[in-house]
Amino acid sequence: GGGGVPSEKLIHSVRELLNGVVTELEREGTFAEGRAVMTQASEIVGQYIKPTGSSSVYDRILALSDEQADAYCHSMNVSTIATLLAIGTGLANPEHMALAGLLHDAGASKEDADLEAKDPATLNFEERVRLYKHVPETLEIIRKKKILLPTQSTRAISEHHERFDGSGYPDSKQGAKICKEAVLLAIADTLDRATSTVPGRTWQSIPGWVKLQRQKLASGAGPIEFDPEVLKKVLA
């Protein structure tokens, strides 16, 4: 593995793993089973990254992420999911997605995470300003730490809160103006947040989240968060 182009064997393994997450966990899964799936997924990502030129950057970011224990688990999950989606769909370079996932919320505080969990329509002006700032603050941390990321990773981070219908932030980009890497990162971020157990927030199962996305895609009703063509490939 490694080098930017996943092998057919790796792609097959990843698709089997992702399909297994959706079908096997339709029943009531245990926390141990959930951890086992993420461990297996993380091992696939690690095996893909380690033989490549990005391995030293990856390790450095892992060390940086570990300094923020609260955010570490979410960042690692998003990195893993986004990388697997890149491998499974062929829409992005997996290494770029792994790096972007680990750093996507580096500028976010606990307060920002709490705000993200709320219905956007309920946020007041000050809360919106605080929430929107975490994206440029993340990019500033990357600059100050002198982490040289691929352009695609940086752009994915800067656009992962933008939405296809223009309802996202910080720049209200829409449609094809949002890069595919950012869409994959946004899907991974949204999936992990929706399926994580957080006090005061409605929990969804992974199969439930996937079913909801399929229903939204089929009906065309409601806000369009993600590029429909990218979402179709992810759901497939």
Side-chain angles (χ1 to χ4, degrees), residues 89-105:
T89 63
L91 290 174
N93 182 303
E95 290 177 89
H96 298 167
M97 298 312 302
L99 298 171
L102 283 175
L103 281 170
H104 77 287
D105 270 350

Side-chain angles (χ1 to χ4, degrees), residues 160-174:
H160 79 281
H161 280 296
E162 304 290 358
R163 293 297 179 256
F164 190 77
D165 59 7
S167 63
Y169 63 87
D171 298 316
S172 300
K173 288 186 178 181
Q174 57 185 304

Side-chain angles (χ1 to χ4, degrees), residues 33-75:
E33 287 171 327
R35 278 198 300 269
V37 168
M38 285 310 297
T39 298
Q40 185 183 353
S42 297
E43 286 172 357
I44 288 178
V45 173
Q47 288 167 10
Y48 184 85
I49 295 290
K50 290 301 180 185
T52 74
S54 291
S55 60
S56 60
V57 180
Y58 187 75
D59 287 338
R60 185 178 170 203
I61 296 171
L62 274 176
L64 268 176
S65 301
D66 211 14
E67 292 171 10
Q68 298 176 311
D70 288 347
Y72 176 72
C73 186
H74 172 65
S75 295

Side-chain angles (χ1 to χ4, degrees), residues 13-207:
S13 297
V14 165
R15 286 179 176 168
E16 278 197 336
L17 174 66
L18 292 171
N19 285 330
V21 170
V22 176
T23 57
E24 292 171 21
L25 296 186
E26 283 183 0
R27 57 186 175 75
E28 195 72 25
T30 66
F31 284 113
E33 287 171 327
R35 278 198 300 269
V37 168
M38 285 310 297
T39 298
Q40 185 183 353
S42 297
E43 286 172 357
I44 288 178
V45 173
Q47 288 167 10
Y48 184 85
I49 295 290
K50 290 301 180 185
T52 74
S54 291
S55 60
S56 60
V57 180
Y58 187 75
D59 287 338
R60 185 178 170 203
I61 296 171
L62 274 176
L64 268 176
S65 301
D66 211 14
E67 292 171 10
Q68 298 176 311
D70 288 347
Y72 176 72
C73 186
H74 172 65
S75 295
M76 193 67 218
N77 285 352
V78 172
S79 177
T80 300
I81 295 166
T83 305
L84 295 179
L85 293 180
I87 294 171
T89 63
L91 290 174
N93 182 303
E95 290 177 89
H96 298 167
M97 298 312 302
L99 298 171
L102 283 175
L103 281 170
H104 77 287
D105 270 350
S109 64
K110 178 67 170 62
E111 179 188 352
D112 297 328
D114 292 341
L115 292 176
E116 271 197 71
K118 293 183 179 181
D119 179 348
T122 67
L123 299 179
N124 61 38
F125 178 76
E126 289 77 13
E127 288 173 328
R128 285 176 186 272
V129 170
R130 174 61 251 172
L131 184 60
Y132 293 2
K133 279 176 68 178
H134 88 259
V135 175
E137 285 174 356
T138 293
L139 297 173
E140 180 64 9
I141 287 171
I142 293 169
R143 187 188 68 80
K144 283 184 175 178
K145 295 280 186 181
K146 295 182 172 57
I147 300 171
L148 298 177
L149 292 178
T151 302
Q152 294 90 335
S153 300
T154 305
R155 189 172 170 193
I157 291 168
S158 69
E159 297 177 1
H160 79 281
H161 280 296
E162 304 290 358
R163 293 297 179 256
F164 190 77
D165 59 7
S167 63
Y169 63 87
D171 298 316
S172 300
K173 288 186 178 181
Q174 57 185 304
K177 291 182 179 179
I178 306 167
C179 67
K180 287 182 170 57
E181 289 86 354
V183 179
L184 288 178
L185 188 59
I187 291 172
D189 182 37
T190 304
L191 172 60
D192 186 60
R193 290 195 183 282
T195 57
S196 297
T197 306
V198 177
R201 193 163 73 201
T202 304
W203 174 84
Q204 284 181 282
S205 67
I206 292 177

